[in-house]
DNA sequence: CTGGGGATGGGGCCC
DNA sequence: AGGGCCCCATCCCCA
């Protein structure tokens, strides 16, 4: 990049005064790259296969006409994974921001070939020319993807905000069912791996890492302005974010990312797929909802999943105390692939940071040495048998005592056992929050002893861990901040679930209508819409409801003064 | 316009 | 950590 020329006009003088600042461009670029590292003012996210990169629209637009056209309307850009893989895109992004091309991950020719493919695809002409030159020197003519029939795909990208039915990393443009093993939907997985982005990172050879998620912004929060990205465009049902982060959470360790072309191909091998786990395969049918039958209806219910770490550094699975570097994204493939959001080299966010609410914009640059030792973590996915009964056995719930029964007859018989007086007393109190909570906790039932008593309130618990968890609810401070909006939570799980709503991640899909949910339980609830099942019956008027919460709200109608 | 029901989203909290 | 179930809030539709 050449130096900038400043032109000043003094008074009425028509003669411009020129002052060259030779370092200006360099400094400017340096600043921008540092900002990228911290995610500061990043206003676009580029999804490449299983990785997310943050960047500045202006910079991308200035680099390529292709990017220019993309960033004009989109904050989230999904690149064709046939044309570019995460490792190559990292190089490209670094090149864009620094003017320097660092090649290290792959053998030179292979790398330049991949770079040329990507550069051509992204219309980075200078970079493409550079790669051609390099390849020419090695005497290997370029046989890239641009030369094969897939050329028709060049230039294709996906808007992350588009409806799920049109989103895919490498799906066919006509939306037909995918058989491609690279279809990331096939490796989508369990809830809460979502947090992939901020949760996990292995860092070593590539030492690039997660930027904080904070560029994925919640427009309801004050941090939005700071980070400048509006994710209000949530996909109605499924977004590539979903794909991206789900895939993120189970495809691609740092190693695998560095050779992510092979990485894609290896999705076939995932245990996840073999185990037929979770929302995988959903996208394949979402393209054509009319084909969806109820056959898989029961698959979602009560499924137990277990990740077992079989090798590697203990710290990777431990909590913040031991895992200082990186953010494990979760057990993925049997190759131990992990995914991540990439900021830039200097920027990855440690799990510690996340747990402590530290954003990379405040602190970045963990040393590489801090990050060694975790790359060997391998995981296998083990899935225990899942029930074929979708909604459990005791759907008929006695409102006064909360006890469940498998059918209305048994429930009615049970209701008879409550005395009039007892029902009256219960009803009077049952709609205050406190009482509702009491009913919802086993404190109200007559179960095991609960020796661990809360020092603040009257509640007691079976084990100290639960008590400790409960006692946090009395704290004024909440230890788990949302990395995106800053909202604080008392439990990590609540926070990760909250994050999911920022990211639009909805792993649980209804196979009847394609609607997607962030939680398994929501899907279970929703399925009653299709089944017509109304397990909740008002004991006062006999009205039936699909959801307990609607019954409760209905009961208020009975009890509230008119 | 209003109230009731259906359905969904998000947070709290216990297991 | 993840699942499950509770709550409140909200939107939409319909009578």
């Amino acid at each position: 990049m050449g130096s900038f020329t400043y032109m000043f006009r003094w008074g009425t003088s028509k003669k411009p005064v020129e002052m060259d600042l030779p370092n200006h461009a360099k400094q400017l670029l340096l600043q921008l790259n540092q900002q990228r590292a911290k995610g500061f003012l990043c206003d676009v996210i580029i999804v490449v296969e299983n990785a997310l990169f943050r960047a500045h629209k202006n910079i991308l637009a200035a680099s390529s006409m292709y990017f220019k056209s993309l960033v004009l309307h989109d904050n989230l850009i999904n690149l064709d994974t046939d044309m570019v893989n995460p490792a190559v895109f990292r190089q490209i992004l670094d090149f864009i921001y620094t003017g320097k091309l660092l090649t290290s991950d792959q053998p030179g020719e292979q790398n330049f070939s991949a770079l040329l493919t990507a550069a051509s695809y992204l219309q980075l002409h200078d970079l493409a020319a550079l790669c051609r030159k390099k390849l020419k020197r090695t005497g290997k003519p370029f046989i890239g993807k641009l030369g094969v029939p897939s050329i028709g795909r060049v230039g294709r990208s996906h808007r992350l905000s588009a409806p799920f039915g049109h989103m895919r990393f490498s799906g066919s443009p006509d939306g037909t069912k995918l058989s491609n093993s690279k279809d990331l939907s096939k490796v989508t997985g369990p809830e809460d791996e979502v947090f992939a982005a901020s949760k996990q990172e292995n860092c070593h050879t590539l030492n690039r890492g997660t930027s904080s998620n904070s560029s994925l912004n919640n427009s309801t929060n004050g941090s939005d302005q700071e980070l400048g990205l509006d994710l209000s465009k949530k996909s109605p049902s499924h977004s590539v974010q979903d794909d991206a982060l789900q895939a993120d959470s189970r495809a691609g360790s740092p190693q695998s990312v560095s050779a992510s072309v092979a990485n894609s191909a290896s999705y076939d091998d995932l245990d996840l797929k073999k185990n037929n786990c979770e929302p995988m395969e959903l996208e394949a049918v979402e393209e054509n909802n009319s084909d969806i039958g109820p056959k898989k209806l029961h698959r979602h219910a009560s499924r137990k999943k277990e990740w077992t770490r079989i090798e590697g550094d203990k710290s990777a699975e431990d909590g913040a105390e031991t895992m200082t570097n990186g953010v494990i994204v979760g057990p993925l493939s049997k190759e131990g692939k992990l995914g991540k959001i990439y900021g830039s080299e200097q920027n990855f966010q440690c799990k510690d940071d996340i747990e402590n609410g530290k954003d990379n914009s405040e602190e970045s640059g963990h040393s590489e040495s801090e990050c060694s030792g975790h790359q060997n973590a391998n995981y296998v996915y083990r899935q225990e048998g899942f029930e074929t009964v979708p909604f459990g056995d005791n759907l008929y719930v006695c409102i006064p005592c909360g006890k469940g029964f498998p059918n209305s007859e048994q429930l009615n018989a049970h209701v008879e056992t409550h005395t009039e007086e007892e029902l009256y007393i219960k009803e009077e109190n049952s709609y205050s929050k406190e009482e509702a909570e009491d009913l919802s906790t086993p404190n109200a039932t007559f179960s095991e002893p609960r020796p661990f008593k809360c020092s603040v309130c009257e509640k007691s618990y079976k084990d100290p861990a639960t008590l400790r968890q409960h006692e946090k609810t009395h704290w004024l401070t909440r230890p788990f901040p949302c990395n995106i909006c800053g909202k604080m939570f008392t439990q990590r799980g609540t926070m990760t679930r909250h994050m999911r709503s920022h990211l639009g991640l909805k792993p649980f899909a209804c196979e009847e209508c394609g609607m997607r949910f962030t939680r398994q339980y929501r899907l279970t609830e929703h399925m009653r819409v299709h089944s017509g099942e109304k397990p909740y019956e008002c004991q006062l008027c006999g009205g039936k409801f699909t959801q307990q919460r609607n019954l409760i709200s209905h009961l208020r109608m009975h009890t509230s003064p008119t």
Side-chain angles (χ1 to χ4, degrees), chain A residues 55 121 125 148 170 210 240 251 262 332 342 394 398 492 538:
Chain A
Y121 161 52
H125 303 302
V148 301
S170 52
T210 63
V240 168
L332 308 177
Y342 297 100
N394 299 319
C398 173
R492 192 197 312 275
C538 173

Side-chain angles (χ1 to χ4, degrees), chain A residues 44-107:
Chain A
V44 65
I45 290 176
I46 304 103
V47 179
V48 187
E49 206 168 282
N50 55 358
L52 306 186
F53 298 84
R54 296 194 293 173
H56 300 94
K57 285 185 175 185
N58 275 340
I59 303 299
L60 297 183
S63 307
S64 126
M65 287 302 290
Y66 179 59
F67 275 131
K68 193 174 181 179
S69 66
L70 289 178
V71 301
L72 200 58
H73 302 291
D74 289 316
N75 296 329
L76 298 160
I77 295 168
N78 184 26
L79 298 180
D80 189 335
T81 53
D82 276 1
M83 295 299 153
V84 58
N85 66 50
V88 165
F89 189 71
R90 179 180 61 91
Q91 289 177 279
I92 288 177
L93 208 51
D94 286 344
F95 173 78
I96 289 172
Y97 273 83
T98 63
K100 292 171 190 164
L101 188 58
L102 300 171
T103 60
S104 57
D105 304 348
Q106 303 174 25

Side-chain angles (χ1 to χ4, degrees), chain A residues 71 96 115 153 172 175 195 239 280 287 293 457 519 555:
Chain A
V71 301
I96 289 172
L115 271 168
R153 304 165 69 99
S172 56
F195 197 34
S239 71
M280 68 174 66
E287 298 283 357
C457 68
R519 311 178 196 179
L555 284 169

Side-chain angles (χ1 to χ4, degrees), chain A residues 428-444:
Chain A
E428 257 205 316
N429 299 324
S430 63
Y431 304 117
S432 71
K433 189 172 180 179
E434 293 75 18
E435 183 68 19
E437 278 177 4
D438 285 347
L439 283 173
S440 69
T441 64
N443 281 351

Side-chain angles (χ1 to χ4, degrees), chain A residues 195 320-321 351-358 468-469 472 475 477-496 498-499:
Chain A
F195 197 34
E321 293 82 21
K351 191 178 176 216
D352 269 1
D353 290 355
I354 289 166
E355 289 179 351
N356 296 331
K358 249 187 262 171
R468 210 162 39 241
Q469 191 179 43
K472 282 182 188 172
W475 293 1
T477 56
R478 292 162 173 254
F480 302 104
C482 168
N483 225 25
I484 294 174
C485 70
K487 190 169 166 41
M488 311 290 272
F489 297 87
T490 54
Q491 292 188 18
R492 192 197 312 275
T494 308
M495 188 269 289
T496 59
H498 163 86
M499 293 276 287

